[in-house]
Amino acid sequence: MTGRTAGAKMGGILTLNAGSSSLKFALFGPAGEAPLATGLADRIGLQGSLRLKDSAGAALPVAPGSLTSHAQALHCVLDSLHAAFPGIGVGAVGHRVVHGGPERATHALVDAALLDDLATLSPFAPLHQPHNLAGIRAAIEAFPEAPQVACFDTAFHRSHPWVNDTYGLPRQLYDLGVRRYGFHGLSYDYIAGELARSAPALAQGRVVIAHLGNGASLCGLLAGRSIASTMGFSPLDGLPMGTRPGQLDPGVMLFLMDQQGMSPQDISDLLYKQSGLLGLSGLSNDMRTLEASPAPEAAQAIEYFTARIRLEIGSMAAALGGIDALVFSGGIGENSALVRAKVCAGMGWLGIEIDTLANEAHARVVSAAGAATDVLVVPTNEELVIARATRALAGGGERTAA
Ligand code: AMP
C-alpha cells in the first residue's frame, strides 16, 4: 500500500490493536472521548471478515477488498472509514503494544530506534509482539507523515515493588529480563482514571481490579498505582483464561517435555490455545456457551475459574494490606452476573458481599448495602487510553494525512 498523503481534513486519531489474525480499530475525531467508529477485521489470512459500527452501534458499510494480510486489512479499514467519514483524516495512529520492556513506564512516539528495541522484546511475547509491530509498520507505510504512538500493556505495572517484580530464580535471570511484567495495563489505566474521576476517595485506597475477558488477570492498586498483578513474565500466568491455564507448577512443563516428548511448539499450543476454560470444559472458551451448557464439565470449568479468582483476590489483598474495593471489568466481568456472584460468594471475610438484585441488573455498584468492601462493575475502554496518549504525544492530532 502506498502512503496516503496530507489533505485539508480534520486530523482524527486511529487506534489499532493488531493480533495474529485480527485487527481491532477505532477512529476518534480531533477532540472528544467517544469514538466515531469502532471495528474488527478478523480471521485475516483465512476467510477474513470486517465489521464496522458507528458510535450508536449501527453497522457501517464495509469497503470491498481482500483480507489476506494485515496490510490489506488496514487498507480495507481505511477505505471503509474514509467512505463513512470523508471529512476526517488520520492525524496520528496509536497502537496497542503488549510489551514495553522492563523500564518503559510511559507510552512513546515511534521512531526507528524504538521499533528496533521493541523487536528485541518479541521473544518475551512471541504470540503478540511481532503482530503488534507488524501493525505499526503497516500504519507507517499507510501514513508516513503521521505520528505513530506505541502504548504498552506493561507500562502501568512498572510501579511494582521489587518483590512483586521478581521470581525466586538466580539474579542473572532477572537481569536477562525474566521478571513479572504484568499485562492488561491499558485496561487498568482506564479503570484507575475512571475511579479517580467518579470515586476519588476510593481511588486513593486499596483496589483490586478483575479484568475478566478471554484473557484474564487481577491488578492490585494502592492510591491508583499498580502494586501487584497476577500476570507475570508472560500473559500465561495467574488466572485461568479462555484457552490459557493460568498458574501452573513448572514441574508440569518438565514432565511434558521429558516424559511426554512434547516440543516447545507443542507446549506453546497447549498453554496458549488448548487450556483454560476450553481445556477444562472440552467444549468452549466462551463463557456464554459454558453458562448455557448442561454439561457437568462446563460447570466445573466455571467452578475452577471462579475459585482461582477468589484465591488470587486474597493474594492481591495481602499485597495491598487489605481491600477497599473490588472492580469487575472485561467481557466476563462486565456481563456475567453468575461469575461475579460465584467470585464473591464466601468472600465475606474480606468484607465482600454482593447485592443479588443489583448484580443481576449489572448495576455499577453491586455490593450489599453496608458491606465493608465496595464491589463495582466498570466497563473498560482500552481504545480511549490509546487515543488519549496518542493525542498527548502527537501534539493533539493536528497533522493530517489520508
Ligand atoms: P473480552 O475478551 O473482554 O472481549 O471478553 C470475552 C469473554 O466475555 C467471552 O468469554 C464471552 O463469553 C464473555 N461474555 C461476553 N458477554 C457475556 C455475557 N453476557 N455473559 C457471560 N459472558 C459474556
Side-chain angles (χ1 to χ4, degrees):
M1 189 184 352
T2 53
R4 292 170 183 241
T5 51
K9 294 178 182 178
M10 288 197 292
I13 305 284
L14 180 69
T15 67
L16 293 180
N17 179 357
S20 58
S21 62
S22 67
L23 186 64
K24 198 173 168 195
F25 58 92
L27 179 68
F28 290 77
E33 303 244 288
L36 302 169
T38 57
L40 176 72
D42 66 0
R43 297 171 61 83
I44 294 170
L46 302 166
Q47 287 170 314
S49 70
L50 173 59
R51 279 167 287 150
L52 181 66
K53 58 187 184 186
D54 68 13
S55 53
L60 289 167
V62 168
S66 131
L67 297 173
T68 48
S69 70
H70 281 74
Q72 284 175 334
L74 179 61
H75 193 77
C76 209
V77 166
L78 295 174
D79 286 347
S80 307
L81 290 173
H82 178 67
F85 305 96
I88 305 285
V90 172
V93 188
H95 300 266
R96 180 179 190 170
V97 177
V98 70
H99 219 303
E103 307 301 338
R104 245 173 233 108
T106 54
H107 309 313
L109 267 175
V110 174
D111 59 19
L114 178 67
L115 263 185
D116 286 348
D117 193 40
L118 295 179
T120 67
L121 298 169
S122 287
F124 289 0
L127 271 70
H128 296 93
Q129 190 86 342
H131 305 297
N132 301 158
L133 301 185
I136 298 181
R137 291 196 190 93
I140 291 174
E141 207 182 322
F143 301 104
E145 290 168 26
Q148 312 274 334
V149 172
C151 298
F152 307 111
D153 264 315
T154 49
F156 189 70
H157 301 294
R158 301 285 47 80
S159 45
H160 287 187
W162 179 79
V163 286
N164 293 340
D165 192 41
T166 192
Y167 291 99
L169 290 165
R171 279 192 176 257
Q172 59 268 31
L173 288 173
Y174 182 84
D175 298 336
L176 205 66
V178 181
R179 306 182 186 194
R180 296 180 196 265
Y181 291 97
F183 297 88
H184 285 143
L186 301 175
S187 175
Y188 294 128
D189 192 358
Y190 174 80
I191 293 166
E194 177 58 19
L195 283 183
R197 192 189 59 76
S198 61
L202 210 56
Q204 281 308 304
R206 301 158 298 180
V207 175
V208 176
I209 303 175
H211 176 107
L212 308 178
N214 206 27
S217 69
L218 303 183
C219 179
L221 296 95
L222 206 51
R225 283 163 62 84
S226 172
I227 296 298
S229 165
T230 56
M231 278 183 171
F233 175 70
S234 74
L236 287 170
D237 203 0
L239 305 180
M241 310 177 211
T243 56
R244 294 172 246 168
Q247 185 272 332
L248 198 61
D249 180 339
V252 174
M253 250 73 78
L254 297 175
F255 169 78
L256 295 177
M257 282 187 294
D258 290 346
Q259 307 301 323
Q260 302 293 308
M262 286 179 76
S263 67
Q265 185 58 52
D266 294 338
I267 292 184
S268 174
D269 283 350
L270 177 80
L271 298 180
Y272 277 99
K273 297 182 181 157
Q274 299 163 17
S275 299
L277 296 174
L278 174 65
L280 285 168
S281 68
L283 186 67
S284 175
N285 63 317
D286 193 297
M287 186 55 78
R288 282 166 295 201
T289 307
L290 299 184
E291 286 188 12
S293 167
E297 292 82 3
Q300 279 184 332
I302 298 174
E303 281 308 317
Y304 183 74
F305 182 64
T306 50
R308 295 304 308 188
I309 296 170
R310 282 199 299 276
L311 279 178
E312 296 289 353
I313 289 172
S315 141
M316 289 294 120
L320 296 172
I323 180 169
D324 300 304
L326 170 64
V327 180
F328 285 100
S329 196
I332 298 173
E334 292 165 28
N335 296 300
S336 174
L338 177 75
V339 166
R340 290 193 301 261
K342 282 183 167 295
V343 167
C344 292
M347 296 288 279
W349 61 279
L350 269 185
I352 295 172
E353 283 172 59
I354 212 158
D355 178 319
T356 304
L357 289 180
N359 184 43
E360 280 168 7
H362 304 291
R364 178 181 165 83
V365 178
V366 297
S367 39
T373 299
D374 288 325
V375 183
L376 308 176
V377 180
V378 179
T380 195
N381 193 341
E382 290 152 312
E383 284 73 31
L384 182 54
V385 173
I386 299 173
R388 284 175 180 159
T390 304
R391 268 196 197 121
L393 283 163
E398 280 157 11
R399 291 187 241 180
T400 59

